[in-house]
Amino acid sequence: MNVTTLKTTFQDLFQSEPEKAFFAPGRINLIGEHTDYNGGHVFPCAITYGTYAVAKKRDDQLVRLYSANFLEKGIIEFDLNHLEYAKEDNWANYPKGMIHYIIQAGYPISTGLDCVIQGNIPNGAGLSSSASIELLTGVLLNGLYDLEIPRLELIKLGKQVENQFIGVNSGIMDQFAIGMGQKDAGILLDCQTLSYEYAPIKLENHKILIMNTNKRRELADSKYNERRGECEEALSQLQQKLPIEALGQLSEEEFDANQSLITNETVRKRAKHAVYENMRTLKALQELKAGNLEAFGKLMNQSHLSLRDDYEVTGIELDRLVEAAWKQPGVLGARMTGAGFGGCAIAIVENEKVDNFVANVGAAYREKIGYDADFYVASIGDGAKEVEMEAVR
Ligand code: GLA
């Protein structure tokens, strides 16, 4: 991906020079899945795949956006007085929502802009291409209009776009990882308090592989909101006896001793996942800090099993992919990452075994599912930022 390509596209489309260039990454989550909206911990990191933009302020109220990933949509136009969600605006609803909420939060954007974007995050793969566009728009508006919106506020505004403008009831993990990412570090985030710490991830002898099922996952149509509802039901039944505000406040022992308060067996399993996964995430950080990568990998495997059996968000594609990964030599751990229901899984694999791993897992997946999975080596990179116009990736 090359920002100078964006520059040429900008010149061709808008007959002028872009002022500034920006980048926002995608993310993977190493462990701590479906815990963010339960007030638990997550452990994601930003990746070097992401979305780039070049932009320039205009003198009038017009906003013109163009994505090289959605050529067929052409230039999408709206003006600053019409920032409502519009189905036909498609991908541009993400930047539009950001502009809308940033103005609503009291930041002055009095003139429009021209902007060209392009991303290399596989779309619909569960690597947060949408949160990437949200934070990209956030840093872009900050940079073009000198708004000085604090990073945490941009993260919260991104979540607001997802929840209210788009209508997906997601937690804060994706926007936080993309807003706060740091090269070669995971972020342990307490989603109840938003306190966080960086944990260095230097895998000398291993690589993190992203394995794409190529089964698209669409959060809005998925059972994501249903799982949230089930967790809320479990919480309110537990609250009859326990003074808690979130499932993430319970230890495994406290949950086990009180689980009979949850009347529905399925709802009980959902809550069990939320509690156990949260504790697993904290254990995983300890293992990582102690240099016990093998133990970290085993916790990843347990996470997948819990997401498969108790939370039921994996599906056949992710299960076959992860099961094939578990059988390979040199694998420390593998699990789905993100919301589930398709999308991507990750695996930690010994350097020398990577080629073999990709060949074997790829063949097993094709045989069982009937089409190919894709594999990418993940590098952990920085969060959303302004980049040099000459920057070349
Ligand atoms: C999606 C959501 C996140 C989080 C994960 C599951 O990525 O956007 O907020 O809930 O699913 O861990």
Side-chain angles (χ1 to χ4, degrees):
M1 179 68 48
N2 182 336
V3 188
T4 52
T5 323
L6 286 186
K7 201 173 154 189
T8 327
T9 310
F10 189 100
Q11 289 161 340
D12 289 349
L13 286 175
F14 301 129
Q15 309 298 319
S16 64
E17 292 293 317
E19 273 175 66
K20 291 186 170 185
F22 304 88
F23 169 76
R27 67 99 188 88
I28 52 175
N29 187 19
L30 297 170
I31 193 163
E33 216 66 82
H34 288 279
T35 46
D36 60 351
Y37 54 83
N38 284 308
H41 294 78
V42 292
F43 191 43
C45 47
I47 54 178
T48 49
Y49 293 103
T51 322
Y52 293 84
V54 293
K56 183 184 184 207
K57 272 187 293 197
R58 296 175 55 88
D59 299 327
D60 57 12
Q61 299 279 291
L62 202 58
V63 177
R64 298 195 293 179
L65 305 172
Y66 180 81
S67 166
N69 296 89
F70 296 94
L71 297 176
E72 71 287 359
K73 303 280 173 209
I75 299 176
I76 297 177
E77 280 191 21
F78 48 87
D79 76 65
L80 290 176
N81 302 309
H82 294 93
L83 295 174
E84 327 45 61
Y85 179 91
K87 194 165 188 291
E88 63 276 14
D89 284 349
N90 196 267
W91 69 270
N93 280 302
Y94 294 97
K96 195 189 208 180
M98 271 315 265
I99 299 172
H100 180 79
Y101 291 132
I102 284 178
I103 294 176
Q104 205 177 68
Y107 294 98
I109 300 177
S110 50
T111 56
L113 66 132
D114 289 333
C115 173
V116 173
I117 83 164
Q118 183 166 20
N120 57 8
I121 308 172
N123 176 247
L127 301 175
S128 287
S129 55
S130 64
S132 180
I133 301 179
E134 288 153 11
L135 269 292
L136 179 72
T137 312
V139 293
L140 182 153
L141 296 172
N142 247 353
L144 281 188
Y145 299 92
D146 293 324
L147 300 176
E148 296 186 7
I149 307 171
R151 190 48 66 113
L152 188 58
E153 190 174 351
L154 280 187
I155 288 168
K156 289 180 178 168
L157 289 165
K159 178 173 183 289
Q160 193 184 351
V161 170
E162 204 74 57
N163 296 164
Q164 295 173 16
F165 208 75
I166 307 294
V168 181
N169 213 2
S170 51
I172 199 156
M173 170 172 77
D174 303 344
Q175 288 80 10
F176 201 95
I178 290 169
M180 303 293 263
Q182 255 183 24
K183 188 171 160 42
D184 295 329
I187 311 169
L188 184 86
L189 170 67
D190 177 338
C191 299
Q192 187 73 355
T193 61
L194 296 188
S195 63
Y196 63 98
E197 64 174 286
Y198 291 104
I201 301 185
K202 290 235 157 66
L203 303 176
E204 268 141 42
N205 303 319
H206 295 84
K207 295 212 179 338
I208 302 175
L209 287 193
I210 300 176
M211 311 185 280
N212 188 351
T213 60
N214 284 321
K215 170 164 188 315
R216 281 182 64 89
R217 48 152 297 280
E218 299 285 356
L219 267 186
D221 335 329
S222 73
K223 293 191 168 288
Y224 188 90
N225 288 351
E226 181 183 302
R227 291 290 177 280
R228 274 200 83 141
E230 289 165 338
C231 289
E232 278 157 23
E233 186 180 333
L235 176 65
S236 78
Q237 293 185 341
L238 290 167
Q239 281 169 333
Q240 289 165 9
K241 190 174 146 203
L242 302 172
I244 53 168
E245 282 163 23
L247 293 176
Q249 289 173 309
L250 292 176
S251 66
E252 293 110 322
E253 293 73 26
E254 284 163 333
F255 177 79
D256 289 348
N258 292 284
Q259 57 168 311
S260 60
L261 289 167
I262 306 170
T263 49
N264 180 296
E265 198 191 321
T266 303
V267 173
R268 206 180 306 137
K269 283 201 306 185
R270 307 295 191 243
K272 180 178 180 199
H273 167 77
V275 171
Y276 276 64
E277 178 77 356
N278 181 42
M279 299 314 287
R280 246 192 307 273
T281 306
L282 293 172
K283 284 178 206 156
L285 181 77
Q286 294 320 315
E287 298 294 4
L288 186 74
K289 281 182 172 168
N292 298 331
L293 264 191
E294 288 202 4
F296 187 90
K298 291 209 170 77
L299 289 164
M300 288 174 68
N301 298 347
Q302 286 169 20
S303 165
H304 186 87
L305 289 172
S306 178
L307 288 155
R308 183 186 77 185
D309 301 336
D310 287 338
Y311 218 64
E312 296 182 90
V313 292
T314 53
I316 182 158
E317 296 83 3
L318 280 167
D319 285 339
R320 292 298 97 84
L321 197 55
V322 168
E323 282 158 17
W326 286 340
K327 289 188 191 136
Q328 304 308 314
V331 174
L332 293 184
R335 61 181 289 278
M336 59 157 264
T337 190
F341 311 107
C344 287
I346 52 170
I348 302 186
V349 185
E350 214 176 291
N351 289 340
E352 286 81 64
K353 303 282 170 45
V354 166
D355 291 346
N356 197 37
F357 174 95
V358 169
N360 290 349
V361 176
Y365 186 77
R366 168 165 269 287
E367 193 204 321
K368 298 216 164 88
I369 302 295
Y371 53 84
D372 283 334
D374 283 322
F375 298 84
Y376 329 91
V377 174
S379 304
I380 304 179
D382 285 334
K385 59 183 179 186
E386 185 170 340
V387 294
E388 293 296 317
M389 188 60 78
E390 288 70 36
V392 174
R393 270 196 73 237

